[in-house]
Amino acid sequence: MAVALIWTPLLMGLLAGLGGTKAQQNTLHPLVGRVFVHTLDHEAFLSLPEHDAVPPTVRITYHAHLQGHPDLPRWLRYTQRSPHHPGFLYGSATSEDRGRQVIEVTAYNRDSFDTTQQRLVLEIGDPEGPLLPYQAEFLVRSHDVEEVLPSTPASRFLSALGGLWEPGELQLLNITSALDRGGRVPLPIEGQREGVYIKVGSASPFSTCLKMVASPDSHARCAQGQPPLLSCYDTLAPHFRIDWCNVTLVDKSVPEPADEVPTLGDGILEHDPFFCPPTEAPDRDFLVDALVTLLVPLLVALLLTLLLAYVMCCRREGRLKRDLATSDIQMVHHCTIHGNTEELRQMAASREVPRPLSTLPMFNVRTGERLPPRVDSAQVPLILDQH
């Protein structure tokens, strides 16, 4: 009773707190074909006084999903290195995702077990400005995906890549973890990273240096374990270690030829000199063929049945011929066995015949001794020690 009185106010207070909590709402504007990154900071979910920093020991994890669905949309991903680090929502929307999407984010405080909700309204629209037909994707071995999602490392990467590209504005198109592309989890060794794919687009053509890296000769050298051809200075080193054997260039400035639409014909084949089907087919009677197909197997089966019946029933030699062909010694032996068998059967049927000596207890084969008649042989054990 006391336990119930203690827990009742706590539950009422918890329910009242949940009922009075309203989820925060933020409106964001992702663009189709451009990378979208939203940082889930601890400060945005903790109710702290103004100008107070978040304690470094606070542990917060997040769970995000599309409103009305258990998971995120297919173009959006969530990652968080540890409860002490911020979380990230990132991805690149496609033209099919254009419109309004609502993402619900729930933050869990692992120390106080408090929960806070936030609603992100994503208004996905088309980007403004020129198209970016020249796109390149690089595999950065020296970073994890969480390390390049903030704006500072991303801007540093674009600035360093500008030295290898033709002059023009570079924009991030997509960022993908190498684990999502089939990469392996690295060993827990200092300096080992998961790797991240960074896709960059520009309106300026590729430089000669990038074209040489993605040439077939460079791919052949990479297949033999040699470094690819790089005719310019690597401006990305040492901050970004690029795997130059995994550089992909896509040129969308030249439109792809449209697939030819098949022309539907009238369904009649054209004249072929090598195929001349008959124009007329004469009438044919299949009665004879049917009779031959059915009667021939039946006649063969009947003949085999008659032959087997003749061999089994009409070729028996009889008992007289069998007895004449058998030797006298064998016949006497057989008759003796038969007679002894009959005698044993008669002895078993009659209770007055004494039992054979070999079946009596304590019968000595060598001397022929047996127990006295006054002793009940049925009560005498086979071994005298067993009393």
Side-chain angles (χ1 to χ4, degrees):
M1 186 65 182
V3 175
L5 293 176
I6 294 174
W7 278 101
T8 300
L10 294 177
L11 292 176
M12 294 178 63
L14 179 60
L15 293 176
L18 291 176
T21 303
K22 292 185 64 176
Q24 305 175 8
Q25 180 170 324
N26 294 332
T27 302
L28 305 174
H29 300 275
L31 299 178
V32 174
R34 303 292 188 271
V35 66
F36 167 76
V37 179
H38 178 69
T39 306
L40 303 176
D41 292 322
H42 295 349
E43 294 85 352
F45 292 88
L46 290 177
S47 300
L48 296 177
E50 193 174 355
H51 305 295
D52 287 357
V54 178
T57 58
V58 174
R59 300 177 303 159
I60 298 180
T61 57
Y62 304 92
H63 175 71
H65 64 91
L66 182 64
Q67 188 178 34
H69 297 77
D71 207 348
L72 291 171
R74 59 181 180 179
W75 67 273
L76 196 61
R77 295 184 178 88
Y78 163 77
T79 184
Q80 184 182 15
R81 178 56 58 179
S82 69
H84 298 285
H85 294 82
F88 294 94
L89 291 174
Y90 68 100
S92 179
T94 62
S95 58
E96 299 178 356
D97 304 317
R98 187 185 294 107
R100 185 175 185 271
Q101 295 181 355
V102 179
I103 306 299
E104 295 181 349
V105 182
T106 304
Y108 300 92
N109 191 330
R110 297 302 178 181
D111 297 330
S112 62
F113 303 101
D114 294 336
T115 60
T116 307
Q117 292 186 349
Q118 187 179 84
R119 185 178 293 109
L120 303 177
V121 180
L122 305 182
E123 300 289 346
I124 304 175
D126 295 326
E128 299 179 356
L131 300 177
L132 306 178
Y134 301 96
Q135 302 175 5
E137 189 175 54
F138 303 89
L139 175 57
V140 183
R141 295 285 188 182
S142 57
H143 288 69
D144 293 332
V145 66
E146 299 88 357
E147 298 174 350
V148 298
L149 289 177
S151 58
T152 302
S155 301
R156 185 184 305 168
F157 179 83
L158 292 179
S159 301
L161 184 60
L164 300 177
W165 208 309
E166 296 292 339
E169 183 181 0
L170 301 179
Q171 296 188 18
L172 287 176
L173 302 183
N174 198 2
I175 297 177
T176 308
S177 174
L179 300 182
D180 297 335
R181 302 280 290 270
R184 295 184 177 180
V185 178
L187 296 175
I189 302 176
E190 184 178 0
Q192 295 291 331
R193 295 292 188 272
E194 298 172 358
V196 57
Y197 285 90
I198 301 179
K199 192 174 185 179
V200 182
S202 175
S204 302
F206 301 117
S207 62
T208 306
C209 179
L210 293 179
K211 292 180 180 179
M212 185 175 296
V213 169
S215 63
D217 296 338
S218 297
H219 292 167
R221 291 173 59 90
C222 291
Q224 297 176 0
Q226 302 178 4
L229 300 175
L230 189 63
S231 61
C232 54
Y233 177 71
D234 187 2
T235 57
L236 295 170
H239 302 288
F240 299 93
R241 182 165 54 89
I242 305 298
D243 187 355
W244 293 106
C245 290
N246 283 280
V247 176
T248 305
L249 303 182
V250 178
D251 186 2
K252 295 185 178 181
S253 60
V254 179
E256 299 180 358
D259 298 336
E260 297 182 0
V261 180
T263 304
L264 300 179
D266 52 3
I268 301 177
L269 296 177
E270 298 180 358
H271 176 69
D272 189 359
F274 300 99
F275 178 69
C276 298
T279 56
E280 295 181 0
D283 296 338
R284 184 177 177 183
D285 188 8
F286 293 95
L287 178 60
V288 178
D289 298 340
L291 293 178
V292 171
T293 304
L294 297 176
L295 294 180
V296 171
L298 291 177
L299 293 176
V300 173
L302 181 59
L303 292 177
L304 293 178
T305 304
L306 295 176
L307 180 61
L308 182 61
Y310 173 75
V311 171
M312 296 183 64
C313 302
C314 301
R315 297 288 296 177
R316 301 191 63 175
E317 299 178 351
R319 296 179 58 183
L320 179 60
K321 186 176 181 180
R322 181 196 64 186
D323 295 342
L324 294 176
T326 306
S327 61
D328 296 339
I329 298 177
Q330 186 176 356
M331 291 297 295
V332 171
H333 187 203
H334 176 73
C335 293
T336 303
I337 295 175
H338 184 69
N340 294 339
T341 303
E342 293 294 335
E343 183 179 0
L344 289 176
R345 289 178 179 176
Q346 294 176 3
M347 293 172 61
S350 178
R351 297 297 181 180
E352 298 178 357
V353 178
R355 296 171 57 184
L357 297 178
S358 60
T359 60
L360 294 177
M362 304 304 298
F363 173 72
N364 194 330
V365 179
R366 294 180 299 174
T367 61
E369 295 180 344
R370 55 185 298 181
L371 292 176
R374 67 177 181 272
V375 179
D376 187 3
S377 60
Q379 301 297 330
V380 178
L382 297 177
I383 301 177
L384 295 179
D385 293 340
Q386 298 180 356
H387 294 287

